[in-house]
Amino acid sequence: MIHELSNPVAKTLLNHLREIQSDALRFRHIIQELTRLLVYEALKTETVEDQTITTWQGEQTFGFIKEEDLIFVTILRAGLPMIESVTALFPKASSGFLAMKRDEKTHQSVLYYDRIPECKDKTVIIVDPMVATAGSLCDAISVIQAKLPKKIISLNIIGSPEGMVILEQKHPNIEVFIAQIDEKLNENKYIIPGLGDAGDRSYNTEK
Ligand code: PRP
Ligand code: URA
């Protein structure tokens, strides 16, 4: 199921990402803010567990999300600002890393490193800003599914309609929370209007 944010704050931030004047620092900052909005939305029905804590009025019991049951997995390198954002919210959650690069000619993603913790019965939340052909995300989902998590959620910033169709066909059970679905892919499989290359925009590099 794909959920696109409709919040005007999210859309405004997202459109600032498209501005070429948004430098790497602002770019990563906006990605982090949008990631927070996405995770609030994705976990809005998450159950909370009672925990007794010491407050200024002594011991009291309140509901908390069980952070230890969350695993955030990012796809290098454009996903790095996203994982910084969510791990700051949930410091007890675990993190996993997948290093993938789209081949410039074939546009297929190539996995060259993976470091994912034990996922059995955990909620795994993938964070990657761009879903263009959806090849990277579909490969990431397959790697994680093999580790038998309870649930997989994906948080993304911009996707293409083509990528969303493929994602729904290949992985209909994944919950996807995305800030914006744009118009189309161009001949180089970049999202239009999009924002360019998210990794390059975040880290001041150019192909
Ligand atoms: C970007 C992005 C996704 C991928 C999406 O990574 O972070 O992982 O492209 O494209 P797809 O849906 O067609 O697979 P990229 O390969 O550009 O690497 P980078 O993060 O190092 O720039
Ligand atoms: N990766 C990006 O960073 N941007 C796109 O538009 C497509 C893939």
Side-chain angles (χ1 to χ4, degrees):
M1 180 94 162
I2 295 172
H3 312 264
E4 183 182 358
L5 294 185
S6 56
N7 183 314
V9 178
K11 298 296 182 190
T12 298
L13 287 176
L14 183 120
N15 290 331
H16 282 305
L17 274 184
R18 303 188 197 274
E19 284 182 300
I20 208 72
Q21 301 97 303
S22 293
D23 65 10
L25 182 64
R26 175 144 167 81
F27 191 90
R28 296 195 306 270
H29 175 74
I30 295 175
I31 293 273
Q32 294 189 341
E33 287 296 325
L34 287 170
T35 305
R36 250 169 236 139
L37 287 170
L38 289 166
V39 81
Y40 288 150
E41 199 58 27
L43 297 182
K44 74 180 177 196
T45 57
E46 192 74 3
T47 50
V48 292
E49 204 174 66
D50 276 351
Q51 271 179 38
T52 302
I53 55 167
T54 308
T55 74
W56 67 295
Q57 300 210 316
E59 301 238 305
Q60 293 195 334
T61 301
F62 295 98
F64 293 86
I65 286 179
K66 207 169 167 210
E67 294 184 31
E68 294 86 344
D69 285 352
L70 300 179
I71 299 177
F72 293 101
V73 173
T74 196
I75 305 178
L76 303 177
R77 90 205 126 137
L80 283 173
M82 296 185 76
I83 201 160
E84 280 303 310
S85 178
V86 281
T87 52
L89 287 177
F90 299 107
K92 292 184 191 148
S94 310
S95 298
F97 297 87
L98 293 170
M100 286 185 188
K101 183 79 194 92
R102 280 201 328 177
D103 182 286
E104 293 303 330
K105 291 204 178 73
T106 64
H107 310 118
Q108 303 282 322
S109 76
V110 182
L111 173 69
Y112 55 94
Y113 175 79
D114 78 275
R115 193 78 196 255
I116 310 274
E118 182 60 54
C119 296
K120 196 153 188 317
D121 300 328
K122 306 263 178 170
T123 296
V124 178
I125 303 180
I126 303 172
V127 293
D128 185 11
M130 309 304 278
V131 187
T133 64
S136 307
L137 184 53
C138 287
D139 289 353
I141 292 168
S142 301
V143 169
I144 294 161
Q145 267 174 342
K147 296 171 96 56
L148 307 176
K150 181 172 79 179
K151 180 162 62 167
I152 302 178
I153 296 171
S154 179
L155 307 183
N156 310 98
I157 306 292
I158 303 189
S160 71
E162 298 90 326
M164 296 300 111
V165 169
I166 290 170
L167 199 51
E168 278 200 307
Q169 278 169 358
K170 287 198 175 170
H171 297 288
N173 299 326
I174 305 300
E175 295 289 326
V176 177
F177 292 82
I178 188 159
Q180 169 72 24
I181 300 171
D182 265 355
E183 282 168 36
K184 60 178 181 183
L185 291 177
N186 71 7
E187 61 286 2
N188 294 320
K189 309 293 183 199
Y190 270 79
I191 299 170
I192 301 297
L195 46 71
D197 187 297
D200 286 339
R201 296 285 309 275
S202 290
Y203 297 108
N204 282 329
T205 52
E206 263 183 74
K207 287 187 282 341

